[in-house]
Amino acid sequence: MLGMLIGLLSGLLMSVQGVFNAEVTKQTSVWLSAGFVQLTALVVCAVAWIVTGREGNISAIPAVKPWYMLLGGVIGAFITYTVIVAINQLGPAKATMFIVASQLVFAYLISLFGLFGVEKAGFAWTRLLGLIVMIGGILLFKWDELFQNN
């Protein structure tokens, strides 16, 4: 239950952050905004690490295997950039629909094929049906644009 609540909070925070970042971008630039987001995230993480007891050892970072797992920050910078651009071009609701749908599809594929060291999950028709329903929901949400404004 706690995991579900934290997941809901994460979605809320991501939506609000995306809107904030998009507004900062309008007043600065996309890469400046994304960089500021990453810099402030670094400061918050460093302070949280210190306040919570400095669990873990910084020297363990270079020893992480496989090495490509360390690309999370690089990916994070591009996530910030793409969220900003998507929200600026589509608006918060439509951008979030595409982002969440993409996350779900690719997370399912990662689980299904056991990519990146994740434990393989078996195929389930109900999960595939869930993805199809989500994509149908996006089409329904965009119905006016797709069919009525032509």
Side-chain angles (χ1 to χ4, degrees), residues 128-149:
L128 181 60
L129 181 60
L131 292 175
I132 292 168
V133 167
M134 177 180 254
I135 292 167
I138 291 171
L139 293 174
L140 185 61
F141 195 89
K142 292 184 60 63
W143 183 268
D144 288 345
E145 292 175 33
L146 293 173
F147 302 109
Q148 294 180 0
N149 290 335

Side-chain angles (χ1 to χ4, degrees), residues 12-131:
L12 179 147
L13 293 173
M14 290 171 73
S15 296
V16 172
Q17 181 200 32
V19 172
F20 286 10
N21 294 349
E23 187 57 37
V24 172
T25 296
K26 290 176 187 174
Q27 298 178 42
T28 60
S29 73
V30 68
W31 283 114
L32 187 59
S33 176
F36 180 76
V37 167
Q38 301 302 315
L39 178 64
T40 55
L42 172 65
V43 170
V44 169
C45 288
V47 169
W49 179 69
I50 291 167
V51 168
T52 60
R54 297 183 184 153
E55 181 182 342
N57 191 330
I58 294 174
S59 65
I61 294 290
V64 169
K65 300 286 187 250
W67 66 269
Y68 60 81
M69 293 296 173
L70 294 172
L71 295 175
V74 174
I75 293 169
F78 286 104
I79 290 169
T80 303
Y81 172 84
T82 55
V83 169
I84 290 169
V85 172
I87 287 177
N88 277 333
Q89 292 188 6
L90 300 173
K94 290 178 195 163
T96 301
M97 279 190 313
F98 284 104
I99 292 165
V100 171
S102 176
Q103 283 179 310
L104 189 57
V105 167
F106 286 100
Y108 182 58
L109 290 173
I110 289 168
S111 295
L112 190 63
F113 295 108
L115 303 175
F116 311 117
V118 171
E119 186 177 333
K120 240 183 196 183
F123 175 80
W125 284 105
T126 53
R127 292 183 184 138
L128 181 60
L129 181 60
L131 292 175

